[in-house]
Amino acid sequence: MATALSYDPVSSPPVATSGNEVVRVLVVDDDPAYRHLCKRYLSRNDETTYEVVTVANAADAYEQCEKSDFDCILIDYVLPDLMGTQVIRNLGLRMPKEIPPTIIMTAGSGEIAATDAVRAGATDFLSKGVVSAESLARAINNAVEKGRLKQSVNKHGRDLQDANKQLQAKNDEIQRFYQSVSHEVKTPLAAAREFVAIVLDGVAGPVTDEQKEILQYALESCDQITSHFNDLVEMTRLDAAKITMKKTLGSLDSVVTRCLASMASAVKAKELNLITEIETPLPMLHIDSNRVIQVLSNLLGNAIKYTDPGGQITLDISHRTSKRAVQISVTDTGCGIPEKDLPQVFGRLYQVGNTGDELMGAGLGLGLTIAKEIVALHDGEIWAESELGTGSSFVFSLPVAQSIFSEPEIHQ
Amino acid sequence: MKTVLLVEDDKKITLAIGIRLKSMGYEVATAADAVSAVAQARKCKPDVVLLDINLPGGDGFLVAERLQSLMQTSATPIIFITASKQEGLKKRAMELGAVAFLEKPFDATQLADAIEMSLYAPSSFGDEAMQTAQ
């Protein structure tokens, strides 16, 4: 029983095309006997209706393809003026869209022909000597089915690309929206704050002590709005940052320097003792420096805020070789956090309990939630340890940059 | 008496900062868009320019570049103000040689410090200036 030789290692079972379908086939062969044979074989088929067009040379083949669409093209391996594989290549260049599935037919047996056919992009390859009506139909049906599958996959790919483009555009639109809203909110907020400050400072006339106190509350409310609004906008930006975070290879040195510099005056103002224990050398990390600064600043800021004057803050950075990560911890001697609250400390709704100072404001805000997002985007971990009355320790880890060298450490 | 040119498109902010600056003893000139900002600067030759980055008709950076290219205003210190937390704005401000960069809302002390620094120590451009202005 003749079978079609397929180059596909996973041989696909023959697929019957549905009864009503018309499969248009183009046969390109200079041998009139073979052209006639193909026509005869395919007209005999009960399951499928084949519309067969035959041509004797490449030029006619091109003309036919321009005139109408075919579901499958059978091409003789050796034509008078050029190779069948060349015809396939030419069709690929000439036709505006993808060419239909092609089957190379050869008179000989043929590893060379088969390899050639594959290289030229033919869908299948047939040995003329052993072909029958059934095997011919089967080969054509298989090729048509393969062609349809390929089209479907390509379309899917294009659809995905389009969807992605739309998402990007939507994302940009949302970002612009948030920028705009941010500006619209912060501008009158800044104005309101300044007007309150102007009256409070006596610039608009004398103010009584009671009025001063009231205006001071108004001022602090303004500052709280600003802080929370900034956090809110930051959270929305972080969703976009999942696509736009800029990680580069770098060390924590500049991150630490910049953080400590910006915190210096606050530390001094509260007469806190800031100790740094930084291991050297530290390995290189793959980080978005600005974001990591954000995290560290947030932790240091909290430590400063929740530690009483005269207290101590320790910044500890070490290389955890076993975990292939650098660990950064900020420890304070503040009031601590109740154990039952520890798991929720990074959540959006967490609020510190009674701090005794009502004016301190509503809790830790979104800072820790943002910090957690950023650390997660770096594939790191963040957690808190605390003892009521003794202090708290906020720790996060950042994975060491993967490099082809086994020893990733670089001496500072 | 020293003159401050305040370039800001929001009327209320202009009013608030204007009152504050006058109470500090400065003469105040105002402009509400990029084009009139440059015109005003050439007319009243301010001692320092307080420049909002978001302006109709071109942003604050363009105004700064223009002022720096004109002989009468090329040495005038510039303080940028903005409501936006966009990264890169501060960097660009620094690159243009701004004396300071203030984020709204800022308080009177920050403003006073920034202006004092630009009037009396204009050579202290750069990173330190940026830090203290925060």
Side-chain angles (χ1 to χ4, degrees), chain A residues 46-61:
Chain A
D46 295 325
E47 286 163 13
T48 317
T49 311
Y50 293 98
E51 246 176 53
V52 184
V53 176
T54 60
V55 294
N57 56 61
D60 289 344

Side-chain angles (χ1 to χ4, degrees), chain B residues 1 13 27 30 36 45 54 57 98 109-111 115 118-119:
Chain B
M1 197 153 70
I13 298 271
E27 215 23 278
T30 63
S36 52
K45 297 201 206 13
N54 259 68
T109 329
Q110 289 175 301
L111 181 61
I115 293 180
S118 63
L119 289 176

Side-chain angles (χ1 to χ4, degrees), chain A residues 158-411:
Chain A
R158 280 195 301 272
D159 287 345
L160 279 172
Q161 271 189 337
D162 284 340
N164 201 44
K165 266 196 209 132
Q166 281 188 355
L167 276 173
Q168 279 282 33
K170 188 89 201 169
N171 199 49
D172 291 340
E173 195 189 315
I174 292 175
Q175 287 313 300
R176 278 194 301 272
F177 170 72
Y178 279 122
Q179 287 284 37
S180 169
V181 167
S182 180
H183 189 264
E184 296 306 303
V185 169
K186 282 185 159 181
T187 302
L189 181 55
R193 191 198 188 279
E194 190 54 21
F195 286 129
V196 168
I198 283 169
V199 178
L200 174 60
D201 290 345
V203 172
V207 214
T208 68
D209 283 345
E210 194 193 345
Q211 288 171 340
K212 270 197 195 157
E213 204 183 327
I214 290 171
L215 291 168
Q216 184 62 36
Y217 291 147
L219 207 65
E220 282 164 17
S221 287
C222 284
D223 287 340
Q224 280 168 31
I225 297 175
T226 305
S227 172
H228 289 147
F229 187 74
N230 279 339
D231 284 347
L232 190 67
V233 175
E234 187 61 18
M235 279 305 291
T236 62
R237 273 181 42 189
L238 270 177
D239 284 330
K242 280 169 190 154
I243 313 167
T244 61
M245 202 176 254
K246 288 186 189 112
K247 287 191 200 153
T248 53
L249 199 64
S251 75
L252 280 175
D253 285 349
S254 66
V255 167
V256 173
T257 313
R258 281 162 72 180
C259 278
L260 292 180
S262 65
M263 297 278 138
S265 50
V267 168
K268 195 166 157 200
K270 255 184 139 178
E271 287 169 19
L272 298 166
N273 187 17
L274 176 61
I275 301 175
T276 55
E277 284 176 13
I278 302 173
E279 193 182 299
T280 54
L282 283 173
M284 294 290 260
L285 306 171
H286 210 223
I287 53 171
D288 183 328
S289 299
N290 285 330
R291 300 278 181 204
V292 176
I293 287 174
Q294 227 177 322
V295 174
L296 189 54
S297 300
N298 179 257
L299 299 187
L300 285 170
N302 285 342
I304 294 170
K305 194 152 81 166
Y306 292 97
T307 304
D308 288 334
Q312 179 167 295
I313 298 175
T314 313
L315 171 64
D316 186 294
I317 304 180
S318 58
H319 178 199
R320 297 274 184 231
T321 0
S322 57
K323 290 189 195 171
R324 303 190 129 259
V326 169
Q327 191 166 285
I328 303 117
S329 72
V330 174
T331 310
D332 63 55
T333 56
C335 50
I337 300 164
E339 198 179 321
K340 60 173 172 61
D341 289 344
L342 271 180
Q344 295 132 39
V345 137
F346 296 99
R348 285 174 207 218
L349 299 178
Y350 179 73
Q351 288 199 356
V352 165
N354 25 311
T355 56
D357 186 353
E358 284 140 26
L359 296 178
M360 269 284 243
L364 296 159
L366 284 173
L368 283 178
T369 312
I370 291 170
K372 184 177 169 191
E373 272 296 313
I374 295 173
V375 171
L377 286 168
H378 282 87
D379 298 320
E381 286 171 13
I382 187 168
W383 67 94
E385 295 158 9
S386 184
E387 210 179 299
L388 269 180
T390 310
S392 310
S393 206
F394 280 79
V395 192
F396 68 102
S397 65
L398 296 169
V400 169
Q402 296 304 307
S403 77
I404 54 171
F405 306 107
S406 55
E407 200 48 56
E409 292 181 2
I410 292 177
H411 291 261

